[in-house]
């Protein structure tokens, strides 16, 4: 008989007590109940106050229970995890509340008639009217801005990643970073100054130019990051076969990163779709349908919402909420399209 079969096994010192999987949910439920009790006893009527109390109790309770049952190291890990969950809820709850309020108030007048008619001769205090003219203006202005900003942004990113060296590349990178953070009103004022120099009246394409300025740095940054993710081995293999660099970029680099580039462009469109300040300065708004973005004032959804809510009429408030719901749905659709394209064009792994 071997010595190993006679020697008794020593218990592992690396294992200790462990909380069950349902423990975090139980701690959360207890924290919420205790937070409600403390809020009721202290006379606090704000839901935000008791939610913060419950969050603090949850983090503190997680550490105390985990340190007693498991160990301090595991307790610290659980505390960090609980902080992540608390931060997630703090971010999601206001967003969910915003969406719920918009849906609840926007569905009052949102119907086919509202989407297919303009305000025309309808006064702000009267019922009826719609947002067809604003939807048409938004689609044209955002579409023209995309036609301007997307090619310029993608080509700039290609230059920075594939060709950019020296002072010029550093200067372009610096100004792209600066443009990323400029307020939208600054872009509107820049185009407005050009319009005043040439004595031009407000028109839709002027808003498109300002939106393109806001869109370009986002496209450049997103495209640049996607191009950097392309493995250098693909470039080297193509160049080793004698393929010119421009053709390597066109046939190898861009197709590999096409999903990410398209996603970045879609997200930049969603970013400019809700801009109000440049449109207010340059497009000026109109109650009538204007399908020509190169002549005359034109409406847009953000400007329509601003003008309706600023009128102070109850019926106008309902139209503003319905237009807000339409704009949120538009942005949500763009994000879903971006995710779908990213999955569709993502590099295939495995066989």
């Amino acid at each position: 008989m071997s010595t190993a079969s006679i020697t008794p096994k020593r218990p592992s010192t690396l294992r200790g007590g462990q909380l069950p999987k349902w423990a975090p949910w139980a701690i959360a439920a207890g924290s919420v109940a205790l937070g409600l009790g403390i809020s009721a006893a202290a006379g606090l009527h704000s839901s935000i106050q008791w939610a913060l109390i419950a969050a603090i109790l949850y983090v503190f309770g997680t550490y105390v229970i985990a340190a007693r049952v498991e160990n301090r190291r595991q307790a610290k890990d659980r505390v960090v995890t609980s902080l992540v969950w608390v931060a997630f809820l703090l971010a999601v709850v206001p967003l969910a509340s915003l969406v719920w309020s918009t849906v609840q108030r926007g569905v009052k007048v949102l119907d086919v008639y509202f989407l297919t008619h303009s305000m025309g001769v309808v006064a702000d205090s009267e019922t009826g009217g719609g947002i067809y003219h604003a939807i048409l203006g938004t689609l044209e202005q955002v579409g023209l801005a995309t036609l301007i900003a997307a090619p310029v942004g993608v080509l700039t990113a290609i230059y920075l990643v594939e060709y950019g060296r020296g002072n010029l590349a550093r200067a372009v990178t610096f100004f792209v970073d600066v443009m990323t953070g400029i307020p939208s009103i600054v872009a509107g004022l820049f185009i407005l100054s050009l319009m005043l120099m040439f004595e031009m009246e407000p028109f839709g394409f002027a808003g498109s130019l300002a939106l393109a300025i806001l869109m370009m740095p986002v496209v450049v940054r997103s495209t640049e990051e996607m191009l950097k993710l392309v493995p250098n081995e693909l470039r080297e293999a193509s160049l080793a076969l004698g393929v010119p660099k421009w053709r390597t970029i066109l046939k190898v680099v861009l197709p590999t990163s096409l999903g990410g580039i398209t996603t970045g462009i879609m997200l930049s469109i969603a970013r400019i779709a809700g801009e109000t300040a440049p449109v207010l300065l340059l497009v000026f708004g109109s109650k009538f349908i204007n399908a020509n973005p190169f002549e005359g004032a034109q409406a847009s959804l953000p400007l329509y919402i601003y003008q309706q809510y600023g009128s102070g009429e109850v019926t106008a408030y309902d139209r503003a909420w319905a237009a807000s719901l339409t704009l949120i749905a538009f942005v949500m659709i763009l994000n879903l399209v971006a995710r779908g394209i990213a999955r569709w064009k993502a590099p295939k792994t495995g066989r």
Side-chain angles (χ1 to χ4, degrees):
M1 185 178 292
S2 62
T3 308
S5 60
I6 301 174
T7 305
K9 293 182 179 180
R10 298 179 60 186
S12 176
T13 57
L14 297 177
R15 294 183 179 179
Q18 188 174 5
L19 289 174
K21 293 183 179 180
W22 49 264
W25 297 100
I27 297 172
S31 301
V32 170
L34 190 57
L36 287 172
I38 294 175
S39 300
L44 303 177
H45 301 289
S46 174
S47 57
I48 298 177
Q49 292 175 329
W50 76 256
L52 292 176
I53 294 173
I56 295 172
L57 291 174
Y58 174 68
V59 175
F60 180 74
T62 299
Y63 179 80
V64 171
I65 296 174
R68 188 171 184 96
V69 176
E70 299 175 332
N71 53 61
R72 289 190 176 183
R73 181 178 179 180
Q74 188 67 20
K76 292 178 181 178
D77 180 74
R78 289 187 178 275
V79 165
V80 174
T81 304
S82 63
L83 288 174
V84 171
W85 276 104
V86 169
F88 168 74
L89 291 175
L90 289 177
V92 167
V93 169
L95 292 176
S97 176
L98 172 64
V99 173
W100 171 250
S101 298
T102 306
V103 171
Q104 188 180 23
R105 300 186 181 188
V107 295
K108 293 180 179 180
V109 296
L110 185 60
D111 51 20
V112 177
Y113 179 88
F114 183 74
L115 296 174
T116 56
H117 287 74
S118 66
M119 289 300 292
V121 293
V122 179
D124 293 337
S125 59
E126 298 176 351
T127 59
I131 58 171
Y132 176 76
H133 61 304
I135 294 176
L136 182 64
T138 295
L139 292 177
E140 290 183 348
Q141 293 161 27
V142 172
L144 290 171
T146 304
L147 290 177
I148 297 170
V152 174
V154 171
L155 292 175
T156 302
I158 292 174
Y159 166 76
L160 292 176
V161 176
E162 304 294 338
Y163 297 98
R165 301 292 184 273
N167 294 330
L168 179 59
R170 285 193 289 270
V172 172
T173 302
F174 172 76
F175 283 110
V176 168
D177 292 337
V178 172
M179 288 178 63
T180 304
I182 63 171
S184 58
I185 189 69
V186 176
L189 288 174
F190 172 70
I191 302 299
L192 180 62
S193 64
L194 297 179
M195 291 174 60
L196 294 176
M197 288 174 56
F198 294 99
E199 298 181 352
M200 302 174 68
E201 296 294 329
F203 61 110
F205 185 65
S208 299
L209 293 175
L211 295 178
I213 294 174
L214 298 173
M215 184 178 175
M216 257 185 268
V218 181
V219 176
V220 172
R221 272 286 161 256
S222 59
T223 304
E224 188 178 1
E225 294 302 321
M226 290 301 105
L227 294 177
K228 288 179 180 178
L229 292 177
V230 178
N232 284 327
E233 288 78 4
L234 295 178
R235 297 180 177 89
E236 294 169 356
S238 178
L239 295 173
L241 294 174
V243 180
K245 188 170 184 177
W246 69 268
R247 195 171 182 84
T248 299
I249 297 171
L250 188 63
K251 295 295 185 179
V252 177
V253 177
L254 287 179
T256 305
S257 57
L258 183 59
I261 294 173
T262 308
T263 302
I265 293 174
M266 288 290 183
L267 294 178
S268 63
I269 294 174
R271 181 248 188 274
I272 65 171
E275 290 293 342
T276 308
V279 180
L280 179 62
L281 287 175
L282 306 172
V283 180
F284 213 65
S286 174
K287 289 188 174 183
F288 298 92
I289 299 173
N290 179 13
N292 184 5
F294 300 98
E295 183 180 359
Q298 196 177 39
S300 72
L301 279 174
L303 183 57
Y304 177 88
I305 296 167
Y306 171 78
Q307 291 174 339
Q308 289 295 307
Y309 198 82
S311 67
E313 301 291 339
V314 176
T315 54
Y317 286 161
D318 294 337
R319 287 191 290 264
W321 281 108
S324 301
L325 181 58
T326 306
L327 185 59
I328 290 176
F330 175 69
V331 174
M332 187 179 298
I333 291 171
L334 285 177
N335 280 273
L336 292 175
V337 170
R339 288 178 177 272
I341 294 175
R343 285 191 176 185
W344 177 41
K345 291 296 183 179
K348 302 296 185 294
T349 58
R351 296 182 179 179

